[in-house]
Amino acid sequence: MKTIDTQDSQISGKSYTLKDWQGGYESLNQECDYWIDDIEGEIPPELTGTLFRNGPGLLDINGQRLHHPFDGDGMISRITFTNSRAHFRNRFVKTEGYLAEQKAGKILYRGVFGTQKPGGWLANIFDFKIKHIANTNIIYWGGKLLALWEAAEPYLLNPHTLETLGNEYFNDVLSKKEAFSAHPRIDPNGTLVNFAIKPGPSTTISIFELNIKGEITSKQNHSVSGFCFIHDFVITENYCIFFQNPVSFNPLAFALGISSAAQCIKVQKNQPTKIIIIPRTGKTQTEQVKVLETQAGFIFHHVNAFEMENEIIIDSICYESLTDVEPNSDYRETDFESNSPGQIWRFNLNLSENKVQNQLIDNRACEFPTIHPNNVGKAYRYVYAAAAHHATVNAPLQAIFKLDFKSGKKQLWSAAPRGFVGEPIFVPKVNSQQEDDGWLIAVVYDAENHRSDVVILDAVNLEKGAIAKLHLKHHIPYGLHGSFTPEIFI
Ligand code: CO
């Protein structure tokens, strides 16, 4: 691994090989516990706390391959930092589906993203029993460690042991199988805001606010016309904002067992994106829900949003088009160069004129943005994201990118050619004064050694190289989301 200059556009050819990238899509079957003793550099003594990560741990069930990694059973990795040392533990979320399939030694459920039970359409026809895989995010909030998956209720885990304790219903405010998204936003005032999508010909968006004790203090429901695919949202002081991507949903092929639910979603390129602006509970009660339209591509993740005079400003990772999840395609053969990249866009919503302006901020392909937690919903200066190595070519995520909105300055730390980067998390230093005074922590798959590293970077200066690389004894399959808490769990 080496640090490269972002100005260096002399690099030609690919920054990776597909075979190296594919290595990160092998299952990790074992559950481990150990102090990490193979460390390059030094873990900063002030870095104390626990990083939780979630993602698909299994890409096959007893050798039967899943059609899409998003169908993989959730596995929690926990890295605890204390006294310049780090401890690793991983455990699968022991969902009903995980336990049943491990016992049976075969695929028993249809996955949302295309995994079918063996036996073709006859085995899958009218089977709407989808497995809750709890694989998308993990948060520690109000003394509860919660594994999140957007289509159902959270799983509650013991933060000390990672043992699965059951489902969490927040004193019965959630009902059985009620959704609770994988993308909560934490208002720096100490409120966790989350949402849920209940699909149908018209969609219900629920918004939950949770206090610091982990109790749901408010829930509001809104009906939205049409089918919604909404994975993430943003908050400001007064609003929750949702982007309704232009997609259609034809459930017939799903019902007949021919396609998965995700394969029935088609992007409608000629349709506008609807931006749904909902006042937050207790803020501007008299205000109505507002819907604005814009031409935008497809969005999974937003960076942040904030209010400025009569505008709301939203930064998002936007794809011009989206490759469909095809029934017979192999995700491991992804042709990155022909897919459109996710890029940082800024949307300016003028609330008095009901107008939207949008602007591409940077060409680089990136995903999994992170910011200083104190700036959620507020004006901010720095964004960090996992990114492609090359500034203009779409490719797997191999680097960590920093963008300064104020100066336009960019920095890059790259793990290319043989490293592949997951979501970075920004961890502020205690008593930090500057917005970027902290660390970026990411899990990086090292194809050369078929293992993963936990990499710690100085967020002020990415280009000086990693402060520490913690070599794990094994790989972690490419993950999705995670979070950091200053509390120490071992
Ligand atoms: Co996500």
Side-chain angles (χ1 to χ4, degrees), residues 18 57 70 99 183 186 203-204 218 224 255 314 321 358 376 396 452 462:
L18 207 55
F70 293 172
L99 294 170
H183 277 290
I186 298 172
T203 301
T204 305
S218 80
V224 176
I314 304 167
S321 66
N358 52 22
V376 173
S452 296
L462 272 55

Side-chain angles (χ1 to χ4, degrees), residues 48-344:
T48 60
T50 308
L51 177 72
F52 292 105
R53 300 220 44 90
N54 198 351
L58 294 182
L59 287 310
D60 69 280
I61 307 292
N62 205 14
Q64 290 177 349
R65 262 187 45 216
L66 304 180
H67 188 72
H68 197 284
F70 293 172
D71 285 338
D73 287 300
M75 185 194 78
I76 308 305
S77 299
R78 185 189 71 188
I79 299 108
T80 309
F81 301 96
T82 177
N83 297 322
S84 294
R85 298 184 71 201
H87 181 271
F88 179 86
R89 173 179 282 225
N90 72 309
R91 290 292 183 273
F92 281 90
V93 186
K94 304 290 164 38
T95 64
E96 213 179 300
Y98 171 86
L99 294 170
E101 286 188 333
Q102 290 305 306
K103 194 171 168 208
K106 61 180 186 183
I107 295 174
L108 298 175
Y109 297 81
R110 298 178 69 184
V112 174
F113 287 89
T115 301
Q116 301 276 33
K117 293 187 293 180
W121 66 270
L122 257 180
N124 291 285
I125 191 166
F126 299 127
D127 185 352
F128 301 108
K129 198 175 62 184
I130 284 192
K131 183 166 64 157
H132 184 341
I133 43 180
N135 73 356
T136 313
N137 200 351
I138 177 142
I139 56 166
Y140 182 71
W141 183 255
K144 294 170 185 167
L145 184 64
L146 302 169
L148 304 178
W149 184 62
E150 67 194 20
E153 66 275 69
Y155 268 90
L156 180 69
L157 307 176
N158 178 330
H160 301 278
T161 62
L162 299 185
E163 179 198 354
T164 302
L165 302 172
N167 290 116
E168 173 64 33
Y169 296 102
F170 305 102
N171 289 324
D172 293 329
V173 179
L174 280 194
S175 48
K176 198 158 171 56
K177 300 216 160 127
E178 187 174 350
F180 191 77
S181 106
H183 277 290
R185 297 268 166 182
I186 298 172
D187 188 318
N189 75 4
T191 307
L192 182 143
V193 189
N194 200 10
F195 70 97
I197 300 294
K198 192 176 173 198
S202 82
T203 301
T204 305
I205 300 178
S206 303
I207 297 170
F208 309 93
E209 301 225 357
L210 282 76
N211 63 18
I212 207 146
K213 290 188 269 179
E215 300 159 338
I216 295 179
T217 53
S218 80
K219 178 184 179 183
Q220 46 164 324
N221 292 325
H222 296 273
S223 187
V224 176
S225 66
F227 176 79
C228 279
F229 177 90
I230 298 176
H231 175 70
D232 190 11
F233 80 135
V234 270
I235 60 169
T236 64
E237 194 189 334
N238 293 297
Y239 303 99
C240 294
I241 303 127
F242 299 86
F243 277 50
Q244 187 182 3
N245 292 303
V247 292
S248 67
F249 181 66
N250 177 355
L252 188 64
F254 174 65
L256 293 178
I258 299 163
S259 305
S260 72
Q263 285 157 4
C264 299
I265 298 172
K266 297 285 174 218
V267 179
Q268 303 295 307
K269 276 188 194 165
N270 47 356
Q271 300 281 326
T273 291
K274 288 182 184 161
I275 304 174
I276 304 161
I277 305 154
I278 302 175
R280 280 177 63 183
T281 306
K283 292 290 180 181
T284 37
Q285 295 273 2
T286 51
E287 234 180 296
Q288 296 294 307
V289 173
K290 196 172 251 192
V291 180
L292 303 182
E293 291 191 351
T294 186
Q295 284 300 319
F298 201 88
I299 293 167
F300 288 105
H301 298 122
H302 300 285
V303 180
N304 195 23
F306 57 95
E307 295 168 31
M308 211 167 70
E309 292 163 10
N310 63 343
E311 280 196 331
I312 298 175
I313 292 154
I314 304 167
D315 297 322
S316 310
I317 309 288
C318 196
Y319 296 78
E320 200 181 314
S321 66
L322 201 66
T323 312
D324 294 330
V325 184
E326 297 294 346
N328 298 316
S329 66
D330 182 349
Y331 68 86
R332 299 182 310 165
E333 300 295 335
T334 298
D335 179 6
F336 284 93
E337 288 73 17
S338 72
N339 288 352
S340 73
Q343 294 164 315
I344 301 173

